[in-house]
Amino acid sequence: MQEKLKVLYNNNTLHQTLEAIKGKGKLGFVPTMGALHEGHISLINKSIIENEFTICSIFVNQKQFNSQEDFEKYPNILDVDLQKLEAVNCDFVFVPSQADIYPEGFKAKNYDLGNIENLLEGFYRPGHFQGVCIVVNRLLDLIMPSKLYLGRKDYQQCQVIQKMLHEVNLQPLIDLSLEPTIRDEFGLALSSRNLRLDEDAKQKAIILIKCLRDAKESLIQNGDYNLVQIKKNATDTILKVGFESVDYFEFVDETFHIIDNSGNSKQTVAILTAATINGIRLIDNIEILKEEYAS
Ligand code: AMP
């Protein structure tokens, strides 16, 4: 571990730093877009426990935003982020410029992600997952960590990155660790976007996890259940609380296929939702382990 947080503002300082620690131990990597909260910090803490060195990156990747407005409104509070990283003894933070990540002549690959790219988040945010893969692949090429830490809060993103790692032959070279979603005391999944919610919206937003928990309960208690009905109840409830729209509330199996009433509901491994309140789009999910189903 380093004595003090080292801030790396460009590829040169990153390269020098990586050279200096080469052969001295494992390097854990946590990619982020900043506005750090306890969800990010949990990933960093896990990496610190499991590796000799930990590096976090802060880069707001325009390529993964489909709305210019959402990109421009994304919180940027680097000073506060650096203090948080310092407080948990993170070793390095990489804060690259656009030119470091996307130098002139940079050719973005097109990743073969299969159908997952067009479902749920992929459907509502066209191009989003290609953008995520481009930046994560680029950061991995620059950093070449031993282990990559991602949050299950972005469940579909975890699956996408797993696919990308296989496609570019970075797995098993880079070990992937998927970590649990961190929530506030009321159950709201922490997200940098929550900074834009006022107190009233924050309270209302708790309905997402409540509906996910209720849906999971119906499923594991009652077995083959009417998924269309659960979905309708959840959507109605979320709208009634004051969300302006619900993009989806869906059940997926372990190959990320959507399950409806024609499928076996006990194949559900996760329930995912995305909904918008006060113009802010939130996502959340709940997972179901096989052993949680009543036999
Ligand atoms: P972001 O800064 O939103 O791109 O997130 C960076 C990483 O932190 C991603 O792997 C996210 O899945 C993870 N993350 C974001 N929110 C949470 C949370 N509430 N709990 C756990 N991990 C999270």
Side-chain angles (χ1 to χ4, degrees):
M1 196 198 280
Q2 278 264 128
E3 293 249 307
K4 197 173 172 295
L5 175 71
K6 203 165 164 189
V7 188
L8 314 169
Y9 284 107
N10 54 52
N11 289 350
N12 282 343
T13 47
L14 172 72
H15 185 70
Q16 284 162 11
T17 302
L18 294 176
E19 281 298 305
I21 62 165
K22 210 174 189 168
K24 294 189 178 158
K26 284 184 291 165
L27 175 64
F29 173 42
V30 181
T32 81
M33 296 203 297
L36 303 180
H37 50 66
E38 284 305 313
H40 300 113
I41 298 299
S42 72
L43 302 178
I44 290 162
N45 282 335
K46 187 75 187 291
S47 171
I48 290 174
I49 291 169
E50 294 185 343
N51 301 278
E52 280 72 18
F53 301 99
T54 291
I55 183 165
C56 162
S57 66
I58 297 180
F59 180 69
V60 184
N61 175 38
Q62 187 163 11
K63 283 196 195 300
Q64 73 189 70
F65 285 81
N66 5 41
S67 138
Q68 180 70 16
E69 190 194 351
D70 193 25
F71 171 68
E72 280 164 10
K73 283 194 175 159
Y74 205 82
N76 182 341
I77 41 171
L78 185 61
D79 287 356
V80 183
D81 287 347
L82 296 184
Q83 280 169 21
K84 289 185 179 170
L85 292 172
E86 182 108 47
V88 293
N89 291 324
C90 183
D91 299 298
F92 311 113
V93 55
F94 181 40
V95 192
S97 66
Q98 282 292 327
D100 285 310
I101 299 298
Y102 302 123
E104 223 166 286
F106 174 82
K107 274 220 156 41
K109 210 171 137 33
N110 197 312
Y111 298 87
D112 179 12
L113 302 171
N115 202 29
I116 194 168
E117 186 178 352
N118 306 313
L119 294 174
L120 307 186
E121 282 306 281
F123 179 80
Y124 286 94
R125 305 184 66 187
H128 169 66
F129 286 127
Q130 288 293 334
V132 167
C133 286
I134 292 166
V135 76
V136 174
N137 194 174
R138 173 80 177 132
L139 287 165
L140 292 175
D141 284 345
L142 289 169
I143 296 171
M144 278 314 284
S146 326
K147 198 158 176 176
L148 169 64
Y149 293 83
L150 302 175
R152 290 176 177 272
K153 151 87 177 13
D154 297 280
Y155 184 91
Q156 193 172 358
Q157 173 172 281
C158 290
Q159 312 272 324
V160 161
I161 292 180
Q162 210 154 9
K163 274 196 162 205
M164 180 274 281
L165 291 176
H166 276 110
E167 188 183 333
V168 299
N169 295 322
L170 282 174
Q171 225 172 17
L173 205 61
I174 296 172
D175 198 7
L176 178 60
S177 193
L178 305 178
E179 299 298 324
T181 302
I182 303 298
R183 302 178 179 279
D184 73 8
E185 57 188 310
F186 305 107
L188 177 65
L190 299 187
S191 162
S192 305
R193 287 195 168 82
N194 294 357
L195 287 175
R196 290 167 54 202
L197 296 175
D198 60 25
E199 270 317 305
D200 179 55
K202 236 184 210 173
Q203 272 190 13
K204 290 176 173 163
I206 298 162
I207 199 66
L208 295 183
I209 186 60
K210 199 173 168 305
C211 285
L212 289 166
R213 284 178 179 152
D214 287 350
K216 171 172 175 174
E217 209 45 39
S218 306
L219 216 63
I220 59 180
Q221 294 306 334
N222 303 337
D224 259 341
Y225 200 85
N226 186 340
L227 296 185
V228 173
Q229 191 59 47
I230 301 181
K231 183 172 150 175
K232 184 177 180 319
N233 292 347
T235 307
D236 289 350
T237 308
I238 294 168
L239 290 174
K240 210 148 73 192
V241 159
F243 274 75
E244 51 256 26
S245 60
V246 179
D247 284 349
Y248 57 83
F249 190 98
E250 293 288 357
F251 306 79
V252 297
D253 67 13
E254 58 188 2
T255 55
F256 211 87
H257 284 95
I258 291 175
I259 307 176
D260 57 22
N261 277 359
S262 62
N264 176 359
S265 62
K266 284 192 176 183
Q267 300 288 323
T268 303
V269 297
I271 313 171
L272 298 96
T273 190
T276 300
I277 185 162
N278 293 3
I280 297 147
R281 189 171 178 280
L282 303 176
I283 60 170
D284 202 355
N285 70 82
I286 196 162
E287 294 182 56
I288 308 178
L289 303 173
K290 280 204 168 60
E291 53 270 28
E292 289 182 284
Y293 283 98
S295 47

PDB file of all heavy atoms in Angstrom, residues 84-113:
ATOM      1  N   LYS A  84     -12.446  11.642  -0.214  1.00  0.00           N
ATOM      2  CA  LYS A  84     -13.011  10.338   0.170  1.00  0.00           C
ATOM      3  C   LYS A  84     -12.020   9.215  -0.103  1.00  0.00           C
ATOM      4  O   LYS A  84     -11.883   8.280   0.683  1.00  0.00           O
ATOM      5  CB  LYS A  84     -14.314  10.075  -0.596  1.00  0.00           C
ATOM      6  CG  LYS A  84     -15.451  10.951  -0.122  1.00  0.00           C
ATOM      7  CD  LYS A  84     -16.747  10.587  -0.820  1.00  0.00           C
ATOM      8  CE  LYS A  84     -17.865  11.483  -0.300  1.00  0.00           C
ATOM      9  NZ  LYS A  84     -19.096  11.381  -1.050  1.00  0.00           N
ATOM     10  N   LEU A  85     -11.331   9.308  -1.218  1.00  0.00           N
ATOM     11  CA  LEU A  85     -10.367   8.264  -1.574  1.00  0.00           C
ATOM     12  C   LEU A  85      -9.191   8.262  -0.606  1.00  0.00           C
ATOM     13  O   LEU A  85      -8.680   7.217  -0.209  1.00  0.00           O
ATOM     14  CB  LEU A  85      -9.892   8.454  -3.013  1.00  0.00           C
ATOM     15  CG  LEU A  85     -10.968   8.206  -4.076  1.00  0.00           C
ATOM     16  CD1 LEU A  85     -10.475   8.615  -5.451  1.00  0.00           C
ATOM     17  CD2 LEU A  85     -11.377   6.733  -4.078  1.00  0.00           C
ATOM     18  N   GLU A  86      -8.788   9.479  -0.235  1.00  0.00           N
ATOM     19  CA  GLU A  86      -7.697   9.635   0.731  1.00  0.00           C
ATOM     20  C   GLU A  86      -8.099   9.006   2.072  1.00  0.00           C
ATOM     21  O   GLU A  86      -7.329   8.271   2.691  1.00  0.00           O
ATOM     22  CB  GLU A  86      -7.444  11.143   0.908  1.00  0.00           C
ATOM     23  CG  GLU A  86      -6.324  11.504   1.836  1.00  0.00           C
ATOM     24  CD  GLU A  86      -5.118  12.030   1.063  1.00  0.00           C
ATOM     25  OE1 GLU A  86      -5.306  12.885   0.185  1.00  0.00           O
ATOM     26  OE2 GLU A  86      -4.014  11.564   1.362  1.00  0.00           O
ATOM     27  N   ALA A  87      -9.335   9.269   2.474  1.00  0.00           N
ATOM     28  CA  ALA A  87      -9.818   8.799   3.781  1.00  0.00           C
ATOM     29  C   ALA A  87      -9.837   7.274   3.875  1.00  0.00           C
ATOM     30  O   ALA A  87      -9.682   6.726   4.972  1.00  0.00           O
ATOM     31  CB  ALA A  87     -11.205   9.358   4.058  1.00  0.00           C
ATOM     32  N   VAL A  88     -10.051   6.587   2.752  1.00  0.00           N
ATOM     33  CA  VAL A  88     -10.086   5.113   2.830  1.00  0.00           C
ATOM     34  C   VAL A  88      -8.748   4.482   2.435  1.00  0.00           C
ATOM     35  O   VAL A  88      -8.647   3.272   2.276  1.00  0.00           O
ATOM     36  CB  VAL A  88     -11.223   4.495   1.968  1.00  0.00           C
ATOM     37  CG1 VAL A  88     -12.572   4.874   2.535  1.00  0.00           C
ATOM     38  CG2 VAL A  88     -11.113   4.872   0.503  1.00  0.00           C
ATOM     39  N   ASN A  89      -7.732   5.336   2.242  1.00  0.00           N
ATOM     40  CA  ASN A  89      -6.386   4.841   1.907  1.00  0.00           C
ATOM     41  C   ASN A  89      -6.305   4.158   0.550  1.00  0.00           C
ATOM     42  O   ASN A  89      -5.596   3.155   0.396  1.00  0.00           O
ATOM     43  CB  ASN A  89      -5.868   3.869   2.972  1.00  0.00           C
ATOM     44  CG  ASN A  89      -5.586   4.567   4.267  1.00  0.00           C
ATOM     45  OD1 ASN A  89      -5.135   5.720   4.262  1.00  0.00           O
ATOM     46  ND2 ASN A  89      -5.891   3.911   5.373  1.00  0.00           N
ATOM     47  N   CYS A  90      -7.059   4.672  -0.415  1.00  0.00           N
ATOM     48  CA  CYS A  90      -6.887   4.187  -1.791  1.00  0.00           C
ATOM     49  C   CYS A  90      -5.488   4.632  -2.244  1.00  0.00           C
ATOM     50  O   CYS A  90      -5.034   5.721  -1.887  1.00  0.00           O
ATOM     51  CB  CYS A  90      -7.980   4.804  -2.672  1.00  0.00           C
ATOM     52  SG  CYS A  90      -7.943   4.226  -4.369  1.00  0.00           S
ATOM     53  N   ASP A  91      -4.800   3.797  -3.000  1.00  0.00           N
ATOM     54  CA  ASP A  91      -3.414   4.138  -3.361  1.00  0.00           C
ATOM     55  C   ASP A  91      -3.344   5.153  -4.494  1.00  0.00           C
ATOM     56  O   ASP A  91      -2.624   6.147  -4.425  1.00  0.00           O
ATOM     57  CB  ASP A  91      -2.668   2.871  -3.791  1.00  0.00           C
ATOM     58  CG  ASP A  91      -2.620   1.860  -2.680  1.00  0.00           C
ATOM     59  OD1 ASP A  91      -2.028   2.175  -1.638  1.00  0.00           O
ATOM     60  OD2 ASP A  91      -3.212   0.777  -2.846  1.00  0.00           O
ATOM     61  N   PHE A  92      -4.098   4.867  -5.575  1.00  0.00           N
ATOM     62  CA  PHE A  92      -3.990   5.707  -6.776  1.00  0.00           C
ATOM     63  C   PHE A  92      -5.368   6.048  -7.318  1.00  0.00           C
ATOM     64  O   PHE A  92      -6.285   5.218  -7.257  1.00  0.00           O
ATOM     65  CB  PHE A  92      -3.237   4.961  -7.887  1.00  0.00           C
ATOM     66  CG  PHE A  92      -1.953   4.337  -7.440  1.00  0.00           C
ATOM     67  CD1 PHE A  92      -1.822   2.947  -7.401  1.00  0.00           C
ATOM     68  CD2 PHE A  92      -0.874   5.126  -7.047  1.00  0.00           C
ATOM     69  CE1 PHE A  92      -0.645   2.359  -6.973  1.00  0.00           C
ATOM     70  CE2 PHE A  92       0.315   4.539  -6.617  1.00  0.00           C
ATOM     71  CZ  PHE A  92       0.428   3.148  -6.582  1.00  0.00           C
ATOM     72  N   VAL A  93      -5.477   7.261  -7.868  1.00  0.00           N
ATOM     73  CA  VAL A  93      -6.693   7.582  -8.620  1.00  0.00           C
ATOM     74  C   VAL A  93      -6.264   8.143  -9.974  1.00  0.00           C
ATOM     75  O   VAL A  93      -5.418   9.027 -10.054  1.00  0.00           O
ATOM     76  CB  VAL A  93      -7.637   8.535  -7.848  1.00  0.00           C
ATOM     77  CG1 VAL A  93      -6.946   9.826  -7.409  1.00  0.00           C
ATOM     78  CG2 VAL A  93      -8.865   8.874  -8.690  1.00  0.00           C
ATOM     79  N   PHE A  94      -6.830   7.564 -11.007  1.00  0.00           N
ATOM     80  CA  PHE A  94      -6.507   7.971 -12.376  1.00  0.00           C
ATOM     81  C   PHE A  94      -7.628   8.899 -12.848  1.00  0.00           C
ATOM     82  O   PHE A  94      -8.794   8.505 -12.867  1.00  0.00           O
ATOM     83  CB  PHE A  94      -6.426   6.711 -13.247  1.00  0.00           C
ATOM     84  CG  PHE A  94      -6.066   6.941 -14.685  1.00  0.00           C
ATOM     85  CD1 PHE A  94      -5.095   7.877 -15.055  1.00  0.00           C
ATOM     86  CD2 PHE A  94      -6.665   6.186 -15.697  1.00  0.00           C
ATOM     87  CE1 PHE A  94      -4.750   8.074 -16.395  1.00  0.00           C
ATOM     88  CE2 PHE A  94      -6.330   6.372 -17.029  1.00  0.00           C
ATOM     89  CZ  PHE A  94      -5.370   7.316 -17.378  1.00  0.00           C
ATOM     90  N   VAL A  95      -7.256  10.140 -13.180  1.00  0.00           N
ATOM     91  CA  VAL A  95      -8.250  11.132 -13.617  1.00  0.00           C
ATOM     92  C   VAL A  95      -7.835  11.606 -15.015  1.00  0.00           C
ATOM     93  O   VAL A  95      -7.276  12.695 -15.173  1.00  0.00           O
ATOM     94  CB  VAL A  95      -8.309  12.336 -12.636  1.00  0.00           C
ATOM     95  CG1 VAL A  95      -9.527  13.216 -12.931  1.00  0.00           C
ATOM     96  CG2 VAL A  95      -8.352  11.864 -11.190  1.00  0.00           C
ATOM     97  N   PRO A  96      -8.065  10.796 -16.020  1.00  0.00           N
ATOM     98  CA  PRO A  96      -7.533  11.122 -17.350  1.00  0.00           C
ATOM     99  C   PRO A  96      -8.336  12.202 -18.051  1.00  0.00           C
ATOM    100  O   PRO A  96      -9.492  12.469 -17.694  1.00  0.00           O
ATOM    101  CB  PRO A  96      -7.699   9.787 -18.101  1.00  0.00           C
ATOM    102  CG  PRO A  96      -8.859   9.125 -17.453  1.00  0.00           C
ATOM    103  CD  PRO A  96      -8.839   9.538 -16.009  1.00  0.00           C
ATOM    104  N   SER A  97      -7.717  12.798 -19.056  1.00  0.00           N
ATOM    105  CA  SER A  97      -8.431  13.761 -19.906  1.00  0.00           C
ATOM    106  C   SER A  97      -9.108  12.974 -21.035  1.00  0.00           C
ATOM    107  O   SER A  97      -8.821  11.783 -21.234  1.00  0.00           O
ATOM    108  CB  SER A  97      -7.438  14.749 -20.504  1.00  0.00           C
ATOM    109  OG  SER A  97      -6.579  14.035 -21.382  1.00  0.00           O
ATOM    110  N   GLN A  98      -9.939  13.657 -21.783  1.00  0.00           N
ATOM    111  CA  GLN A  98     -10.563  13.042 -22.968  1.00  0.00           C
ATOM    112  C   GLN A  98      -9.484  12.505 -23.908  1.00  0.00           C
ATOM    113  O   GLN A  98      -9.600  11.412 -24.446  1.00  0.00           O
ATOM    114  CB  GLN A  98     -11.383  14.098 -23.735  1.00  0.00           C
ATOM    115  CG  GLN A  98     -12.722  14.427 -23.122  1.00  0.00           C
ATOM    116  CD  GLN A  98     -13.699  13.258 -23.205  1.00  0.00           C
ATOM    117  OE1 GLN A  98     -13.680  12.469 -24.141  1.00  0.00           O
ATOM    118  NE2 GLN A  98     -14.533  13.131 -22.184  1.00  0.00           N
ATOM    119  N   ALA A  99      -8.404  13.314 -24.070  1.00  0.00           N
ATOM    120  CA  ALA A  99      -7.350  12.933 -25.020  1.00  0.00           C
ATOM    121  C   ALA A  99      -6.572  11.704 -24.554  1.00  0.00           C
ATOM    122  O   ALA A  99      -6.024  10.967 -25.371  1.00  0.00           O
ATOM    123  CB  ALA A  99      -6.410  14.109 -25.241  1.00  0.00           C
ATOM    124  N   ASP A 100      -6.511  11.503 -23.231  1.00  0.00           N
ATOM    125  CA  ASP A 100      -5.830  10.305 -22.735  1.00  0.00           C
ATOM    126  C   ASP A 100      -6.619   9.048 -23.091  1.00  0.00           C
ATOM    127  O   ASP A 100      -6.052   8.019 -23.435  1.00  0.00           O
ATOM    128  CB  ASP A 100      -5.673  10.365 -21.207  1.00  0.00           C
ATOM    129  CG  ASP A 100      -4.586  11.331 -20.789  1.00  0.00           C
ATOM    130  OD1 ASP A 100      -3.479  11.232 -21.332  1.00  0.00           O
ATOM    131  OD2 ASP A 100      -4.853  12.186 -19.928  1.00  0.00           O
ATOM    132  N   ILE A 101      -7.928   9.164 -22.962  1.00  0.00           N
ATOM    133  CA  ILE A 101      -8.764   7.984 -23.214  1.00  0.00           C
ATOM    134  C   ILE A 101      -9.050   7.825 -24.706  1.00  0.00           C
ATOM    135  O   ILE A 101      -9.002   6.726 -25.251  1.00  0.00           O
ATOM    136  CB  ILE A 101     -10.087   8.096 -22.399  1.00  0.00           C
ATOM    137  CG1 ILE A 101      -9.778   8.150 -20.908  1.00  0.00           C
ATOM    138  CG2 ILE A 101     -11.029   6.922 -22.704  1.00  0.00           C
ATOM    139  CD1 ILE A 101      -9.073   6.920 -20.351  1.00  0.00           C
ATOM    140  N   TYR A 102      -9.356   8.945 -25.352  1.00  0.00           N
ATOM    141  CA  TYR A 102      -9.677   8.877 -26.778  1.00  0.00           C
ATOM    142  C   TYR A 102      -8.716   9.754 -27.585  1.00  0.00           C
ATOM    143  O   TYR A 102      -9.086  10.834 -28.041  1.00  0.00           O
ATOM    144  CB  TYR A 102     -11.130   9.323 -27.010  1.00  0.00           C
ATOM    145  CG  TYR A 102     -12.133   8.485 -26.241  1.00  0.00           C
ATOM    146  CD1 TYR A 102     -13.029   9.064 -25.348  1.00  0.00           C
ATOM    147  CD2 TYR A 102     -12.174   7.098 -26.396  1.00  0.00           C
ATOM    148  CE1 TYR A 102     -13.951   8.286 -24.641  1.00  0.00           C
ATOM    149  CE2 TYR A 102     -13.078   6.314 -25.687  1.00  0.00           C
ATOM    150  CZ  TYR A 102     -13.966   6.921 -24.819  1.00  0.00           C
ATOM    151  OH  TYR A 102     -14.864   6.160 -24.117  1.00  0.00           O
ATOM    152  N   PRO A 103      -7.463   9.320 -27.724  1.00  0.00           N
ATOM    153  CA  PRO A 103      -6.501  10.124 -28.486  1.00  0.00           C
ATOM    154  C   PRO A 103      -6.930  10.206 -29.953  1.00  0.00           C
ATOM    155  O   PRO A 103      -7.726   9.382 -30.409  1.00  0.00           O
ATOM    156  CB  PRO A 103      -5.200   9.333 -28.344  1.00  0.00           C
ATOM    157  CG  PRO A 103      -5.592   7.958 -27.973  1.00  0.00           C
ATOM    158  CD  PRO A 103      -6.904   8.042 -27.272  1.00  0.00           C
ATOM    159  N   GLU A 104      -6.404  11.196 -30.620  1.00  0.00           N
ATOM    160  CA  GLU A 104      -6.735  11.338 -32.039  1.00  0.00           C
ATOM    161  C   GLU A 104      -6.448  10.029 -32.770  1.00  0.00           C
ATOM    162  O   GLU A 104      -5.418   9.388 -32.518  1.00  0.00           O
ATOM    163  CB  GLU A 104      -5.881  12.454 -32.638  1.00  0.00           C
ATOM    164  CG  GLU A 104      -6.714  13.337 -33.557  1.00  0.00           C
ATOM    165  CD  GLU A 104      -5.969  14.606 -33.875  1.00  0.00           C
ATOM    166  OE1 GLU A 104      -5.892  15.472 -32.967  1.00  0.00           O
ATOM    167  OE2 GLU A 104      -5.465  14.692 -34.990  1.00  0.00           O
ATOM    168  N   GLY A 105      -7.349   9.618 -33.614  1.00  0.00           N
ATOM    169  CA  GLY A 105      -7.131   8.394 -34.372  1.00  0.00           C
ATOM    170  C   GLY A 105      -7.587   7.146 -33.634  1.00  0.00           C
ATOM    171  O   GLY A 105      -7.490   6.044 -34.160  1.00  0.00           O
ATOM    172  N   PHE A 106      -8.085   7.324 -32.398  1.00  0.00           N
ATOM    173  CA  PHE A 106      -8.542   6.164 -31.619  1.00  0.00           C
ATOM    174  C   PHE A 106      -9.701   5.490 -32.348  1.00  0.00           C
ATOM    175  O   PHE A 106     -10.668   6.131 -32.749  1.00  0.00           O
ATOM    176  CB  PHE A 106      -8.991   6.604 -30.220  1.00  0.00           C
ATOM    177  CG  PHE A 106      -9.604   5.488 -29.407  1.00  0.00           C
ATOM    178  CD1 PHE A 106      -8.800   4.586 -28.732  1.00  0.00           C
ATOM    179  CD2 PHE A 106     -10.987   5.339 -29.329  1.00  0.00           C
ATOM    180  CE1 PHE A 106      -9.356   3.549 -27.988  1.00  0.00           C
ATOM    181  CE2 PHE A 106     -11.554   4.307 -28.586  1.00  0.00           C
ATOM    182  CZ  PHE A 106     -10.742   3.419 -27.914  1.00  0.00           C
ATOM    183  N   LYS A 107      -9.565   4.195 -32.538  1.00  0.00           N
ATOM    184  CA  LYS A 107     -10.619   3.464 -33.259  1.00  0.00           C
ATOM    185  C   LYS A 107     -11.397   2.607 -32.264  1.00  0.00           C
ATOM    186  O   LYS A 107     -10.835   1.690 -31.668  1.00  0.00           O
ATOM    187  CB  LYS A 107      -9.984   2.545 -34.313  1.00  0.00           C
ATOM    188  CG  LYS A 107      -9.708   3.224 -35.629  1.00  0.00           C
ATOM    189  CD  LYS A 107     -10.055   2.288 -36.801  1.00  0.00           C
ATOM    190  CE  LYS A 107     -10.375   2.998 -38.084  1.00  0.00           C
ATOM    191  NZ  LYS A 107      -9.552   4.127 -38.432  1.00  0.00           N
ATOM    192  N   ALA A 108     -12.667   2.956 -32.089  1.00  0.00           N
ATOM    193  CA  ALA A 108     -13.488   2.175 -31.162  1.00  0.00           C
ATOM    194  C   ALA A 108     -13.879   0.856 -31.815  1.00  0.00           C
ATOM    195  O   ALA A 108     -14.231   0.823 -32.995  1.00  0.00           O
ATOM    196  CB  ALA A 108     -14.729   2.959 -30.784  1.00  0.00           C
ATOM    197  N   LYS A 109     -13.776  -0.207 -31.037  1.00  0.00           N
ATOM    198  CA  LYS A 109     -14.160  -1.518 -31.508  1.00  0.00           C
ATOM    199  C   LYS A 109     -15.691  -1.634 -31.447  1.00  0.00           C
ATOM    200  O   LYS A 109     -16.330  -0.906 -30.688  1.00  0.00           O
ATOM    201  CB  LYS A 109     -13.560  -2.526 -30.503  1.00  0.00           C
ATOM    202  CG  LYS A 109     -13.190  -3.859 -31.057  1.00  0.00           C
ATOM    203  CD  LYS A 109     -12.426  -4.601 -29.960  1.00  0.00           C
ATOM    204  CE  LYS A 109     -12.805  -6.028 -29.814  1.00  0.00           C
ATOM    205  NZ  LYS A 109     -13.209  -6.860 -30.842  1.00  0.00           N
ATOM    206  N   ASN A 110     -16.246  -2.523 -32.223  1.00  0.00           N
ATOM    207  CA  ASN A 110     -17.662  -2.825 -32.053  1.00  0.00           C
ATOM    208  C   ASN A 110     -17.754  -4.202 -31.400  1.00  0.00           C
ATOM    209  O   ASN A 110     -17.303  -5.181 -31.973  1.00  0.00           O
ATOM    210  CB  ASN A 110     -18.370  -2.800 -33.411  1.00  0.00           C
ATOM    211  CG  ASN A 110     -19.863  -2.703 -33.215  1.00  0.00           C
ATOM    212  OD1 ASN A 110     -20.431  -3.434 -32.418  1.00  0.00           O
ATOM    213  ND2 ASN A 110     -20.504  -1.806 -33.923  1.00  0.00           N
ATOM    214  N   TYR A 111     -18.298  -4.246 -30.205  1.00  0.00           N
ATOM    215  CA  TYR A 111     -18.299  -5.488 -29.431  1.00  0.00           C
ATOM    216  C   TYR A 111     -19.523  -6.331 -29.785  1.00  0.00           C
ATOM    217  O   TYR A 111     -20.622  -5.808 -29.939  1.00  0.00           O
ATOM    218  CB  TYR A 111     -18.270  -5.170 -27.933  1.00  0.00           C
ATOM    219  CG  TYR A 111     -17.026  -4.428 -27.551  1.00  0.00           C
ATOM    220  CD1 TYR A 111     -16.973  -3.037 -27.644  1.00  0.00           C
ATOM    221  CD2 TYR A 111     -15.885  -5.100 -27.142  1.00  0.00           C
ATOM    222  CE1 TYR A 111     -15.819  -2.338 -27.328  1.00  0.00           C
ATOM    223  CE2 TYR A 111     -14.728  -4.410 -26.825  1.00  0.00           C
ATOM    224  CZ  TYR A 111     -14.702  -3.032 -26.928  1.00  0.00           C
ATOM    225  OH  TYR A 111     -13.551  -2.351 -26.621  1.00  0.00           O
ATOM    226  N   ASP A 112     -19.292  -7.627 -29.876  1.00  0.00           N
ATOM    227  CA  ASP A 112     -20.386  -8.539 -30.171  1.00  0.00           C
ATOM    228  C   ASP A 112     -21.005  -8.981 -28.846  1.00  0.00           C
ATOM    229  O   ASP A 112     -20.542  -9.931 -28.220  1.00  0.00           O
ATOM    230  CB  ASP A 112     -19.839  -9.745 -30.947  1.00  0.00           C
ATOM    231  CG  ASP A 112     -20.938 -10.740 -31.248  1.00  0.00           C
ATOM    232  OD1 ASP A 112     -22.121 -10.387 -31.066  1.00  0.00           O
ATOM    233  OD2 ASP A 112     -20.606 -11.868 -31.656  1.00  0.00           O
ATOM    234  N   LEU A 113     -22.025  -8.254 -28.432  1.00  0.00           N
ATOM    235  CA  LEU A 113     -22.602  -8.511 -27.107  1.00  0.00           C
ATOM    236  C   LEU A 113     -23.853  -9.370 -27.172  1.00  0.00           C
ATOM    237  O   LEU A 113     -24.405  -9.747 -26.138  1.00  0.00           O
ATOM    238  CB  LEU A 113     -22.927  -7.169 -26.421  1.00  0.00           C
ATOM    239  CG  LEU A 113     -21.731  -6.227 -26.248  1.00  0.00           C
ATOM    240  CD1 LEU A 113     -22.186  -4.858 -25.767  1.00  0.00           C
ATOM    241  CD2 LEU A 113     -20.713  -6.825 -25.280  1.00  0.00           C
TER     242      LEU A 113
END
